Amino acid sequence: MAGNAWQNALTDILSAKQYNYRKPMQFPHLFSPFRLGSVTLPNRTVMAPMSTNLASLKGAVTPRQVAFYRARAAGGTGMVIVEFCCVHAASGRSEHRQLTLEDAGHLDGHQRLVEAITGAGSVACMQLQHGGQGAKRGLVEGGMPVTASDVPSRRDPTALIARAMTVAEIEHLVECFGRTAELGVRAGYQAFELHGAHGYLLTSFLSPFTNQRSDAFGGDESRRLEFPRRVIARVKQAIGDRPLIYRLSADEFTPLGLGISDMERIVPHLVAAGVDALHVSMGLGWTGLENVIDPMSSPEGWKLPYARRLRAASSVPVIAVGQIRLPETAERAVREGDADLIALGRPLLADPDWARKARDGQVAQIRPCTSCNYCVTMGSGEHGVVGCAENPRTGRELEALPQVAPGAGGRVVVVGAGPGGMAAALMLQQAGFATELQEARAYLGGGLIASAAPPHKDKLRWYQHYLEHQLAGSEVTVRTATRADARQLAADGTRLVILAHGGRPKQLPIEGVQWAGVLDAYELLMSDGAALPAPQPGLPMLVYGGGETGCEMAEYLAERGHEVLLVSRSLARHLARAAEPIYRSVLLKRLQGNPLVKLLAETHLECIGNEGMASMRGADGALQQVATARVLMAQGREPDPELPMALAAAGVPFVAIGDARKGGRIGDAVHDAYATVIALCATSAPSAQLGC
């Protein structure tokens, strides 16, 4: 779907040309009830299972976790599939704070979780998982994960990173799946799912890529199905008539792995074994994470044809998942028979009320997921916790948002209408402050404009349009083409200024940098390439800087037909090293395959002549001269001290957020804004006393 799809949807809704803004059931197929085995879902939306890292270190459900899931259930989601629950922690934990339910000791927490989900009107589904090769070495007994077959280390083929399970261990784990399912029934779960996707244990037995056994559990396809069949049978015995879903990868996109044609042949066997529905995901985590967790460049709804094929092959209901962001896409998928149910993962991190808003025809109010994968970065590592770039409340649902009486908090001015500034202004106004947003440019958006300009990043405009729409419906005073004046802010009695005006380009001591053909990469992206000349064969555009902006600028120029010389002072393997890892991997693959882009790594730009003759020195000390059409400086940005100094001199309190404080990502700016508003509220609202 085109990158401006979200804006088009908002325009249609607001103009009422295609939709009645207040009309209920705008998406009648998506919000029709659905019978899944013995359970009736109120609508076709499903929360996809996503790790939160909100459990305790011992795998118990926590109050934060209950609040997180309750918010998504209360937001109108038809069924909530709770994140993976490891059936045998000693050998299969995939994360430090992964849920477990191996005995009654953790039962009460799961009961509270189920009550929160069902009490909010949703169906509670438990996902059963064992990490297999994907278990963390430091979390399993002996430091050695177990899987279908021995997995040698790539660095040292004589060493193993996972070992093959014995038959006795296989039989034991079949029972572990059944035992956890029995406890899940006691907890009140209404449906169950087996995680057989992405390379975890069930996958490792099914796929010829990972199963090289020659016994009853490996070899031909029938024997590779034996372990999944036994697990299905044992879990069905445990759960009775409750529906059992099987999550699978429709295509592993891996040589010797399973493809869609293989899965069309396999899924009838899973159904015959007792599976009531399929959850169609994609990929293997260690051979192509971009197929498991979509980067921003993935097209809207690209996985739906796979779901459609498996739905036809299986004769059971199918849940489609992956890069479904727009209600229109979800509605069309159900209406046209691609899937019976639509799983939403990251969209529910961005907006837990996605389903309710779509059901009520309030599409413009949905905070859109842009697939920026900030959530992946936040949730990774030993201390990672679920989060969202756009929604700083994700994972913090138990935190109180202090309120002050409208206007009682005083006047607060936000300088800069980028993502952090617009978010800060909206939160301040919601909290009760008299808020003004000032922007030096004639339009809103700030860094979102530059971030959305490179190829395959246009989904970021969805967030820009959302913030603009929210501001239009708020009481925030918005002033564009207005430069902040410290003396005027002091005279107006401004209680606090929030600086969200971004940064300035870093200055490097390069001779000739004043040449008229030297352009700042950030400013060029802000202007949508208005200063670019026509492509000149044999006369490249030189991009100086191998960070994320420099790499994106190289692709941006190549897309417009320019030959590009990307010059980086760093090693080639360090290109775009600060970028989000999944996005970085696909960005670098595109650059490496682009015939218009040439890389010069470990090279310093020393001089720029008047006619664009660039003098560069490589790692070997040799000097190279290249005639260029333009030189694009992409050496990063830094906070601009001018306005902070003026405010300090005028005695106006201020707080810097986002790039005005420290260079970072969109989510850093929005989370800075949230922290600032929370702190300001804490100094403005009376504190409540605990009644004990």
Side-chain angles (χ1 to χ4, degrees), residues 54 64 68 72 348-352 367 374-375 378 385-401 419-420 422-424 426-428 430 463 466-467 666-678:
L54 292 175
R64 288 181 67 188
F68 169 84
R72 275 77 199 165
L348 292 181
L349 300 184
D351 196 332
R367 187 185 295 106
Y374 190 81
C375 54
M378 288 189 71
V385 174
V386 69
C388 174
E390 301 174 14
N391 184 4
R393 297 284 293 171
T394 295
R396 296 168 169 159
E397 286 77 13
L398 282 184
E399 289 184 8
L401 184 61
M422 289 191 282
L426 287 165
M427 287 188 281
L428 284 164
Q430 180 189 25
Y463 186 41
Y466 166 80
L467 290 173
I666 290 168
D668 297 326
V670 175
H671 282 246
D672 278 357
Y674 176 76
T676 299
V677 174
I678 291 293

Side-chain angles (χ1 to χ4, degrees), residues 332-681:
R332 184 171 58 252
V334 176
R335 183 182 67 240
E336 297 182 0
D338 291 324
D340 301 279
L341 299 164
I342 303 298
L344 304 167
R346 288 169 290 172
L348 292 181
L349 300 184
D351 196 332
D353 295 321
W354 191 101
R356 177 185 60 77
K357 292 174 180 178
R359 180 197 65 202
D360 295 345
Q362 298 178 344
V363 176
Q365 300 293 336
I366 297 175
R367 187 185 295 106
C369 172
T370 63
S371 302
C372 73
N373 285 342
Y374 190 81
C375 54
V376 178
T377 304
M378 288 189 71
S380 63
E382 181 177 355
H383 303 291
V385 174
V386 69
C388 174
E390 301 174 14
N391 184 4
R393 297 284 293 171
T394 295
R396 296 168 169 159
E397 286 77 13
L398 282 184
E399 289 184 8
L401 184 61
Q403 298 285 317
V404 296
R411 180 174 186 264
V412 179
V413 174
V414 181
V415 178
M422 289 191 282
L426 287 165
M427 287 188 281
L428 284 164
Q429 187 266 321
Q430 180 189 25
F433 294 88
T435 309
E436 181 173 309
L437 177 62
Q438 298 182 359
E439 169 56 48
R441 299 178 191 267
Y443 45 84
L444 306 178
L448 274 171
I449 297 172
S451 295
H456 310 293
K457 294 189 72 179
D458 47 359
K459 289 186 179 72
L460 288 174
R461 295 194 184 102
W462 295 354
Y463 186 41
Q464 178 186 345
H465 299 321
Y466 166 80
L467 290 173
E468 290 174 350
H469 175 70
Q470 295 300 103
L471 282 169
S474 76
E475 296 180 7
V476 175
T477 300
V478 178
R479 302 190 190 282
T480 55
T482 300
R483 289 198 169 274
D485 183 280
R487 288 178 295 179
Q488 185 62 50
L489 289 168
D492 291 341
T494 303
R495 174 180 174 180
L496 180 71
V497 173
I498 297 179
L499 296 177
H501 60 312
R504 66 180 183 182
K506 292 180 179 178
Q507 301 298 320
L508 296 179
I510 299 173
E511 183 181 347
V513 76
Q514 298 82 13
W515 176 51
V518 176
L519 305 174
D520 177 62
Y522 177 86
E523 290 299 329
L524 184 68
L525 293 173
M526 286 293 293
S527 65
D528 198 23
L532 286 176
Q536 303 175 57
L539 201 60
M541 307 286 281
L542 189 152
V543 177
Y544 190 43
E548 183 175 359
T549 299
C551 291
E552 290 178 342
M553 176 53 67
E555 189 174 33
Y556 176 91
L557 294 169
E559 186 181 59
R560 285 158 175 75
H562 294 276
E563 297 175 17
V564 182
L565 186 61
L566 177 59
V567 180
S568 174
R569 293 178 292 174
S570 302
L571 298 169
R573 67 173 182 268
H574 291 159
L575 285 177
R577 59 183 169 182
E580 185 275 313
I582 300 174
Y583 169 71
R584 178 178 184 258
S585 70
V586 296
L587 170 63
L588 295 185
K589 285 178 184 177
R590 293 197 305 265
L591 281 178
Q592 291 161 2
N594 195 320
L596 291 176
V597 178
K598 178 182 177 182
L599 171 66
L600 285 181
E602 300 179 80
T603 300
H604 291 255
L605 177 61
E606 294 189 348
C607 176
I608 305 170
N610 287 334
E611 300 302 321
M613 183 64 69
S615 298
M616 296 169 289
R617 195 173 300 278
D620 59 0
L623 190 66
Q624 177 182 176
Q625 291 190 320
V626 178
T628 66
R630 294 286 188 276
V631 175
L632 282 297
M633 303 299 294
Q635 290 297 315
R637 299 174 71 78
E638 61 187 5
D640 187 342
E642 182 179 347
L643 185 54
M645 290 174 62
L647 290 170
V652 179
F654 65 89
V655 175
I657 67 173
D659 288 354
R661 181 183 68 85
K662 179 184 178 182
R665 298 174 63 189
I666 290 168
D668 297 326
V670 175
H671 282 246
D672 278 357
Y674 176 76
T676 299
V677 174
I678 291 293
L680 187 58
C681 287

